[in-house]
Every structure is written in C-alpha cells, then in structure tokens.
Amino acid sequence: MKLDLNSDMGEGAGADAALLDVVTSANICCGLHAGGPLEMARVMALAAAKGVGIGVHPGFDDRAHFGRTRMALSKPELIDLIAYQTGAMAAVAQAKGLKLRHFKLHGALSNIASEDADLARICYGAALSVVPDLKLMVLSATAQEAAARDLTADWAGEIFADRAYNDDATLVDRSLPGAVLHDAEEAAARILAMLRAGAILSASGHRIPARIDTVCLHGDTPQALEMAKLLRSKLQAEGVVLQPL
C-alpha cells in the first residue's frame, strides 16, 4: 500500500522543520488564518528542500480564531477569498522555481465544505482557475469528495489521525469531549484499523467505506511530532510505502 502523510504548516506552531522530516506533504497556510507571507515562503522552501510535496492551505480571514469561526460569504466573496490565497502562494512558488501539488481547505471553511457540496465546488473551482493542475485533498466520503467528483478533478481522499468522526464522516466538533486525540499510540492503532478496513471508523463504531490516499496530522497540537514519528514508524512496519501525492 502507498500512502501520503500530511500536516498543516506555516501557522506559527514551531514544529514545522521537524515535521518536515516525517511527513510527505505539507499543507502551507496562505497567510490569512495564521502565519504570513514570509512564513509561507520559508516553509515552502524548506519543504521543497526536503522533498516534501507543497500544498495550498487557505481558510477564512479569521486570524483571531485561527480560521475556526464559521462565516457566511457570498459566492463572489468565496471565489475572491480562495483565488487570492491560491494566487499568492502560486506567485511565491513561481518566484522560487517550486511547484504546487495539492489544495486543501482549512478549519471552519473545510468543515462547511464537508457538509455543502455547492460551497465546496465554488472553492475548488476558484483554486483550479488559478492553478489548473492542483490535486484536491478532500475529506473522504463527504460533500468535498462529491464536489471533486462533480468537477472531474484529480483528488485524494484524506482521513485524520488525531480527530474523531461523526457517523456521516464529518469531524466531531472540537468543543466536544474526545474530538481531538492526544495519545500517539491510540491514533496510530486507529489509523491502521481504518486502512485495513478501507473505511472511516466513527466515534460510535460506525464503519464508512472510504478512499484513503493521505493521512493528516495537525501540526498545531503539542503531540504532533511524537504522533507523526510513531505513525510513520508503525505504517512502515506494516509495509506501507509513504510518498507525496
């Protein structure tokens, strides 16, 4: 089995350099929900130097709440929000001679898109209008996947190592107990179980058949580096080949 291991970066968490020695793809903040242009450029260059795939990771313009506040934007506003962030990263990549490989929504914007295929299509269409060959990293078995299929776009199905799932394959709200996993051993065992089952396993034990191309570890949790190292070790011990999208 071949698998990508990705993490969100450029958000000021501090563990990016170490995580880039473990993951195979980096979802890099475009400077609105966190980070900034210099941080974005720095992490992009570091990822490229380590052979890690570079992805666009846009969110709401919500620095105060790390992009985790749900906002109601019109279609033109959503298009502008995504085009602006994708374009900024594409320009920096071009200046540095780097290639953008994938696109992944952040935080509340991602959560809404996992429930609303029309909104997901707007976001994905805006990104692809700027960089047409981006691979869409979508939350497997959600409205994001439906939107990517409708667009006949190249896409990769993602699951999370450190998040609990609802029975509809959406993520348990962070405000609820058990939404975020903090034990590296538990997270690794859970991911291996999902890979073997070819399905997302919800908090209630429900099994949701899903395409699993990439596994995400959030880079802003205190256990991120430990979890990433342990998960990589256990996956490789099971014969899984880790490679960028």
Side-chain angles (χ1 to χ4, degrees):
M1 180 182 294
K2 296 178 181 179
L3 191 70
D4 175 56
L5 188 61
N6 78 80
S7 187
D8 303 341
M9 298 187 183
E11 298 172 329
D16 289 354
L19 276 169
L20 284 169
D21 289 326
V22 182
V23 301
T24 52
S25 288
N27 320 309
I28 302 174
C29 174
C30 304
L32 287 189
H33 69 269
L38 299 184
E39 179 71 0
M40 177 179 69
R42 183 188 69 82
V43 178
M44 286 172 64
L46 187 58
K50 296 191 176 189
V52 174
I54 301 170
V56 184
H57 190 47
F60 284 127
D61 187 2
D62 173 38
R63 188 173 294 271
H65 302 99
F66 202 63
R68 290 178 177 156
T69 302
R70 291 192 173 221
M71 297 180 174
L73 301 182
S74 67
K75 179 177 178 179
E77 288 172 332
L78 278 169
I79 291 172
D80 290 344
L81 180 77
I82 297 301
Y84 171 80
Q85 294 180 78
T86 306
M89 185 168 286
V92 174
Q94 182 178 359
K96 291 182 173 295
L98 305 178
K99 180 173 176 57
L100 301 180
R101 295 194 184 184
H102 67 279
F103 175 93
K104 173 186 170 181
L105 293 170
H106 168 80
L109 184 54
S110 177
N111 290 337
I112 298 171
S114 72
E115 304 158 2
D116 184 339
D118 289 336
L119 182 141
R121 275 193 296 272
I122 292 169
C123 293
Y124 294 154
L128 293 172
S129 72
V130 179
V131 185
D133 61 349
L134 286 175
K135 182 186 286 286
L136 304 178
M137 190 182 288
V138 307
L139 298 185
S140 285
T142 71
Q144 290 188 18
E145 179 180 328
R149 288 182 180 275
D150 287 346
L151 291 169
T152 63
D154 189 13
W155 63 277
E158 178 189 39
I159 62 172
F160 288 83
D162 54 0
R163 292 296 305 277
Y165 281 91
N166 296 308
D167 287 350
D168 63 355
T170 59
L171 299 175
V172 173
D173 190 280
R174 283 177 174 269
S175 65
L176 298 176
V180 180
L181 281 68
H182 300 286
D183 183 86
E185 288 281 356
E186 178 188 2
R190 179 170 161 272
I191 287 299
L192 285 170
M194 289 188 190
L195 290 173
R196 293 185 184 115
I200 291 168
L201 305 178
S202 75
S204 71
H206 187 62
R207 181 174 295 195
I208 309 152
R211 173 171 148 181
I212 303 173
D213 301 302
T214 183
V215 176
C216 177
L217 283 166
H218 284 99
D220 61 321
T221 60
Q223 300 81 15
L225 183 57
E226 176 193 359
M227 198 174 290
K229 287 180 176 178
L230 182 65
L231 180 58
R232 182 183 178 103
S233 174
K234 287 188 174 292
L235 287 171
Q236 290 178 321
E238 291 290 322
V240 177
V241 177
L242 297 179
Q243 63 182 30
L245 292 174

